[in-house]
């Protein structure tokens, strides 16, 4: 009897909170969610030397944030630093860091803490891609994909999350990928790393909820292929549903999601529908849909380069 009463009480509480959460969602569907102020926040961006990382740095420069730029490419990173200052940033710090090396991440992180302060917004953006059939991918490149695209997230969280918890203030941003949601032909190691990054970020997000850390936020970003040169030669057969994205558009969406403290961001929005279909469709129909969307052959024109950060 007591157990039945407990269940009934918990069920009513769950339903009540669910109705409130649903009403909140409906309200913010029609009324823009307020954006937080990130002026003065210390924003660390990995892979800041080009592409998405550089554009993110410039966007946060306009918003008045303190920028900490990490990249393995010193020249590219310093160029981003110069551009950020021209864009209005008053405090910009550029550090050369190979995110595939745990000890180097730890070393540079300590340097950042001493010279800049506690990072309050961490954007794990650095990424590499191999491209090709898995059995033909050299072991060192497979390891590099996992080290940069996934393991670097572990080590940066270890470095900067404790201060966020102590201050109950911070924002963890994981740049995953649509390839972190669905397996893609000739991207096995890349997909593995992006699935792992997504799962790790989501798990730590749940930890912050359980620990009632209301001030530590998480945003997980899953964009389709972006026109930054990383996936040069790749094309889509259904551009009206899955277009190759322009980086400026993606950065606008990412920054908007951070400022509104959204947990999940899929770009384009069609990816939300794809995930529903993946969950409900029989495997054979899902495979037919993938073939129709051109997912099986999207990497056929891929131009491999020695370095892609």
């Amino acid at each position: 009897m007591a157990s039945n009463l407990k269940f009934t009480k918990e069920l009513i509480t769950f339903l009540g909170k669910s109705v409130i959460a649903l009403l909140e969602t409906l309200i913010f569907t029609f009324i823009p969610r307020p954006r937080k102020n990130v002026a003065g926040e210390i924003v660390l961006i990995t892979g800041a030397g080009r592409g998405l990382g550089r554009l993110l740095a410039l966007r946060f420069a306009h918003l008045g944030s303190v920028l900490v730029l990490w990249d393995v490419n010193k020249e590219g990173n310093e160029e981003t630093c110069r551009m950020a200052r021209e864009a209005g940033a008053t405090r910009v710090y550029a550090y050369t860091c190979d995110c595939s090396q745990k000890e180097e991440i730890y070393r540079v992180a300590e340097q950042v803490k001493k010279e800049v302060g506690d990072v309050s917004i961490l954007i794990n953006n650095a990424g590499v891609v191999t491209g090709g059939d898995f059995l033909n991918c050299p072991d060192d490149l497979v390891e590099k994909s996992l080290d940069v695209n996934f393991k670097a997230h572990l080590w940066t969280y270890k470095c900067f999350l404790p201060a966020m918890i102590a201050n109950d203030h911070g924002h963890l941003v994981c740049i995953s990928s649509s390839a972190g949601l669905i397996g893609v032909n000739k991207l096995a190691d890349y997909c593995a790393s992006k699935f792992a990054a997504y799962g790790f970020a989501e798990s730590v997000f749940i930890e912050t909820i359980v620990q009632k850390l209301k001030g530590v936020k998480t945003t997980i970003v899953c964009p389709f292929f972006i026109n930054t040169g990383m996936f040069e030669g790749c094309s889509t057969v259904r551009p009206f549903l899955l277009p190759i994205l322009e980086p400026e558009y993606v950065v606008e969406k990412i920054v908007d999601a951070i400022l509104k403290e959204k947990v999940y961001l899929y770009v384009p929005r069609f990816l939300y529908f794809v995930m529903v279909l993946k969950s409900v469709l029989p495997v054979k129909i899902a495979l037919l849909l993938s073939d129709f969307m051109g997912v099986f052959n999207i990497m056929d024109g891929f131009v491999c380069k020695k370095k892609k950060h």
Side-chain angles (χ1 to χ4, degrees):
M1 184 67 176
S3 62
N4 288 338
L5 287 173
K6 182 182 178 183
F7 171 78
T8 303
K9 181 180 178 181
E10 290 176 347
L11 179 61
I12 292 172
T13 301
F14 161 71
L15 292 174
K17 289 182 176 179
S18 296
V19 169
I20 293 171
L22 181 59
L23 288 173
E24 180 183 323
T25 302
L26 289 173
I27 289 170
F28 285 122
T29 300
F30 300 102
I31 302 174
R33 188 179 292 271
R35 298 183 177 191
K36 66 181 178 183
N37 182 10
V38 293
E41 298 283 358
I42 300 177
V43 181
L44 189 153
I45 305 169
T46 67
R50 56 166 293 178
L52 209 63
R54 173 174 288 174
L55 293 174
L56 283 167
L58 297 179
R59 188 73 179 87
F60 277 101
H62 285 296
L63 294 171
S65 302
V66 177
L67 297 177
V68 179
L69 311 176
W70 282 15
D71 202 283
V72 69
N73 184 329
K74 183 178 180 179
E75 290 183 4
N77 207 30
E78 289 179 347
E79 175 65 11
T80 301
C81 183
R82 182 191 64 77
M83 293 171 70
R85 288 198 177 99
E86 290 179 353
T90 56
R91 294 179 61 195
V92 190
Y93 303 83
Y95 296 89
T96 302
C97 182
D98 184 350
C99 287
S100 68
Q101 302 297 318
K102 179 179 70 172
E103 296 306 323
E104 187 164 341
I105 289 174
Y106 283 173
R107 177 184 61 78
V108 179
E110 286 302 314
Q111 193 176 349
V112 169
K113 293 174 191 177
K114 291 176 182 177
E115 297 176 358
V116 188
D118 292 330
V119 169
S120 52
I121 300 179
L122 171 63
I123 305 178
N124 275 303
N125 165 74
V128 296
V129 61
T130 306
D133 296 326
F134 174 67
L135 293 180
N136 293 327
C137 291
D139 290 359
D140 62 323
L141 293 184
V142 172
E143 291 175 348
K144 190 86 167 180
S145 291
L146 293 171
D147 288 339
V148 175
N149 300 348
F150 165 54
K151 289 184 181 179
H153 296 214
L154 305 178
W155 316 138
T156 54
Y157 272 47
K158 287 267 190 178
C159 294
F160 302 114
L161 181 55
M164 295 184 187
I165 292 174
N167 299 324
D168 195 22
H169 177 76
H171 203 135
L172 302 163
V173 183
C174 166
I175 308 297
S176 182
S177 169
S178 59
L181 301 171
I182 298 173
V184 180
N185 181 39
K186 296 183 179 180
L187 278 180
D189 58 332
Y190 184 80
C191 287
S193 66
K194 291 299 186 176
F195 267 85
Y198 186 112
F200 170 68
E202 190 171 61
S203 295
V204 175
F205 164 65
I206 298 301
E207 285 188 18
T208 64
I209 297 299
V210 172
Q211 295 173 27
K212 302 186 186 307
L213 297 168
K214 294 183 179 180
V216 180
K217 308 299 182 180
T218 294
T219 297
I220 304 171
V221 182
C222 295
F224 190 59
F225 290 6
I226 307 171
N227 185 24
T228 59
M230 189 172 185
F231 287 96
E232 185 179 343
C234 295
S235 60
T236 172
V237 299
R238 309 285 179 237
F240 57 96
L241 293 174
L242 285 176
I244 302 296
L245 302 166
E246 290 303 317
E248 293 81 5
Y249 172 76
V250 178
V251 165
E252 180 184 337
K253 292 294 183 182
I254 292 172
V255 173
D256 184 66
I258 294 170
L259 298 183
K260 292 180 178 178
E261 297 181 342
K262 291 178 64 174
V263 178
Y264 301 102
L265 173 67
Y266 299 170
V267 188
R269 294 182 65 84
F270 181 68
L271 289 176
Y272 293 102
F273 183 56
V274 169
M275 293 309 297
V276 173
L277 294 179
K278 181 183 177 183
S279 301
V280 300
L281 288 179
V283 173
K284 286 186 178 180
I285 297 178
L287 291 173
L288 287 170
L289 177 62
S290 295
D291 190 23
F292 171 75
M293 295 298 298
V295 175
F296 291 167
N297 305 108
I298 197 167
M299 290 292 292
D300 286 358
F302 175 67
V303 177
C304 183
K305 295 181 180 179
K306 290 184 178 180
K307 277 190 178 181
K308 286 190 170 61
H309 293 274

